[in-house]
């Protein structure tokens, strides 16, 4: 039986332009290209976990529109169970993304239907949560829903992962006791801890602070610098494979989905982190969110260049 991962979160249609650089306020730039790609942190993590070996269910909302149909179809094409993806009377979530020639991106999201994922809606799909080994949440759905999902997942005795993305403020204090693995990037770690994070040393201090706040374990992703695992006893650094980046969109989601699939499948956390890092490294060599996420056989075949 494949391990079961449940993702509670967002689905967005990504409207992606490539441009020489990111525009400044008030500036109009001539872009290179435009594409429409299925994304959303929740859906990306669901696709990653499915491509990387887990049986996956998604809990979320799409709008009653063409994007909603495409977002659902994209998950079904990956064998992600969508019985808990509700269609609501709103527009589907969208993300406006600019990627520059250095593969950096800037993103504005409009939640739309993702805002309809209330605690009551999640409560309707409790049997889906009960069947999980690992449950993943992010922050593109209402805070009340995330708080409820973390608490219920803890009550059910599941392995609980929170990817606190995007983070605009510290997390509610009572969330921490329900999190087994908190997985922020550098800027999210800084927002949550209130400490600057711009190096491995400062990331270690932030990780220690997040453990003090109550997270079980903390994994800070550091892009090309790899990641840090802190568990309250020790902090371990995992260097990232070196690759040529084309587009970093969904690299964090690929790491989270890959880590969850590996952990649910019985790998130890160090092995699961290395597995997630290889998957994320492969994803940055390709454009777009869901199209960039590698398969299990691609990760297994990966050799450091
Ligand atoms: O993490 C990448 C994702 O963030 C994109 O797919 C976009 O939808 C935004 O939610």
């Amino acid at each position: 039986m494949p391990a079961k991962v449940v993702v509670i979160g967002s689905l967005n249609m990504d409207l992606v332009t490539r441009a020489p650089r990111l525009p400044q306020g008030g500036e109009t730039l001539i872009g290179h290209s435009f594409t429409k790609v299925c994304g959303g942190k929740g859906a990306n993590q669901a696709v990653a976990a499915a491509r990387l070996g887990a049986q996956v269910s998604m809990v979320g909302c799409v709008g009653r529109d063409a994007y909603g149909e495409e977002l659902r179809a994209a998950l079904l094409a990956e064998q992600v169970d969508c019985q808990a993806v509700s269609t609501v009377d709103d527009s589907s979530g969208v993300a406006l993304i600019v990627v520059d020639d250095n593969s950096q991106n800037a993103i504005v999201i409009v939640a739309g239907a993702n805002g309809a994922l209330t605690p009551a809606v999640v409560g309707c799909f409790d049997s889906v949560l009960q069947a999980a080994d690992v449950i993943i949440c992010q922050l593109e759905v209402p805070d009340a829903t995330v708080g409820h999902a973390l608490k219920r997942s803890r009550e059910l005795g599941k392995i609980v992962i929170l990817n606190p993305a995007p983070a605009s403020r510290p997390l509610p204090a009572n969330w921490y006791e329900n999190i087994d693995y908190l997985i922020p990037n550098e800027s999210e770690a800084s927002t949550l801890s209130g400490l600057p994070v711009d190096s491995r040393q400062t990331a270690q201090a932030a990780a220690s602070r997040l453990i003090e706040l109550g997270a079980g374990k903390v994994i800070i992703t550091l892009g090309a610098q790899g990641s840090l695992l802190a568990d309250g006893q020790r902090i371990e650094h995992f260097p990232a494979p070196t690759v040529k980046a084309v587009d970093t969109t969904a690299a964090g989601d690929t790491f989270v989905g890959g880590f969850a699939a590996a952990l649910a499948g019985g790998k130890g956390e160090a092995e699961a982190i290395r597995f997630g890092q290889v998957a994320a490294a492969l994803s940055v060599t390709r454009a777009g969110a869901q199209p960039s996420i590698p398969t299990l056989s691609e990760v297994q075949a990966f050799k450091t260049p």
Side-chain angles (χ1 to χ4, degrees), residues 10 12-14 38-41 44 95 97 107 109 140 249-250 253 289:
S10 58
N12 293 330
M13 188 57 76
D14 291 354
C38 290
K41 294 184 191 301
N44 295 344
I97 303 180
I107 304 180
I109 58 167
E140 288 186 336
T249 308
D253 299 331

Side-chain angles (χ1 to χ4, degrees), residues 171-196:
L171 299 180
N174 62 355
W175 285 13
Y176 282 96
E177 63 193 18
N178 297 323
I179 301 169
D180 291 304
Y181 293 95
L182 181 66
I183 311 184
N185 65 16
E186 288 162 287
S187 73
E188 291 149 5
S190 176
T191 301
L192 268 48
S193 66
L195 300 170

Side-chain angles (χ1 to χ4, degrees), residues 28-100:
T28 300
L29 286 178
I30 306 294
H32 304 309
S33 64
F34 169 76
T35 45
K36 181 169 71 64
V37 181
C38 290
K41 294 184 191 301
N44 295 344
Q45 292 173 17
V47 168
R51 283 191 193 154
L52 295 167
Q55 193 180 322
V56 182
S57 293
M58 178 83 206
V59 181
C61 292
V62 294
R64 202 175 302 284
D65 53 17
Y67 288 170
E69 287 172 22
E70 282 184 64
L71 290 165
R72 180 189 296 277
L75 291 185
L76 291 172
E78 303 295 336
Q79 279 75 52
V80 173
D81 167 46
C82 289
Q83 64 172 294
V85 176
S86 306
T87 300
V88 301
D89 288 328
D90 199 342
S91 306
S92 293
V94 290
L96 309 178
I97 303 180
V98 183
V99 182
D100 73 12

Side-chain angles (χ1 to χ4, degrees), residues 7-305:
V7 180
I8 302 170
S10 58
L11 302 92
N12 293 330
M13 188 57 76
D14 291 354
L15 307 176
V16 186
T17 53
R18 293 204 72 118
R21 55 185 173 74
L22 304 182
Q24 294 172 350
E27 185 182 26
T28 300
L29 286 178
I30 306 294
H32 304 309
S33 64
F34 169 76
T35 45
K36 181 169 71 64
V37 181
C38 290
K41 294 184 191 301
N44 295 344
Q45 292 173 17
V47 168
R51 283 191 193 154
L52 295 167
Q55 193 180 322
V56 182
S57 293
M58 178 83 206
V59 181
C61 292
V62 294
R64 202 175 302 284
D65 53 17
Y67 288 170
E69 287 172 22
E70 282 184 64
L71 290 165
R72 180 189 296 277
L75 291 185
L76 291 172
E78 303 295 336
Q79 279 75 52
V80 173
D81 167 46
C82 289
Q83 64 172 294
V85 176
S86 306
T87 300
V88 301
D89 288 328
D90 199 342
S91 306
S92 293
V94 290
L96 309 178
I97 303 180
V98 183
V99 182
D100 73 12
D101 285 349
N102 295 318
S103 76
Q104 294 307 300
N105 63 44
I107 304 180
V108 176
I109 58 167
V110 179
N114 295 303
L117 188 70
T118 60
V121 172
V122 173
C124 292
F125 298 107
D126 202 61
S127 59
V128 173
L129 275 59
Q130 287 173 29
D133 297 301
V134 173
I135 296 179
I136 312 174
C137 301
Q138 328 74 34
L139 301 182
E140 288 186 336
V141 296
D143 280 1
T145 306
V146 179
H148 165 82
L150 296 173
K151 183 164 178 289
R152 183 63 186 141
S153 303
R154 163 66 77 234
E155 283 166 7
L156 291 169
K158 307 304 178 184
I159 297 174
V160 186
I161 296 175
L162 177 65
N163 171 225
S168 55
R169 54 187 176 278
L171 299 180
N174 62 355
W175 285 13
Y176 282 96
E177 63 193 18
N178 297 323
I179 301 169
D180 291 304
Y181 293 95
L182 181 66
I183 311 184
N185 65 16
E186 288 162 287
S187 73
E188 291 149 5
S190 176
T191 301
L192 268 48
S193 66
L195 300 170
V197 179
D198 50 16
S199 65
R200 258 168 68 182
Q201 286 66 32
T202 53
Q204 288 185 6
S208 299
R209 174 75 188 125
L210 295 172
I211 293 279
E212 280 166 20
L213 287 170
K217 299 185 183 184
V218 175
I219 300 170
I220 301 183
T221 57
L222 305 167
Q225 307 305 314
S227 55
L228 286 182
L229 167 67
D231 65 4
Q233 312 296 317
R234 72 201 162 92
I235 297 183
E236 188 174 352
H237 176 243
F238 296 79
T242 304
V243 290
K244 185 167 167 21
V246 169
D247 179 0
T248 59
T249 308
D253 299 331
T254 304
F255 175 82
V256 170
F259 173 75
L263 204 63
K267 285 188 168 51
E269 59 198 14
E271 206 184 338
I273 288 171
R274 290 191 193 97
F275 179 85
Q277 288 190 161
V278 170
L282 283 168
S283 80
V284 305
T285 66
R286 303 163 184 168
Q290 290 171 24
S292 73
I293 298 169
T295 61
L296 181 57
S297 51
E298 288 176 311
V299 171
Q300 288 167 337
F302 178 80
K303 300 219 174 0
T304 305

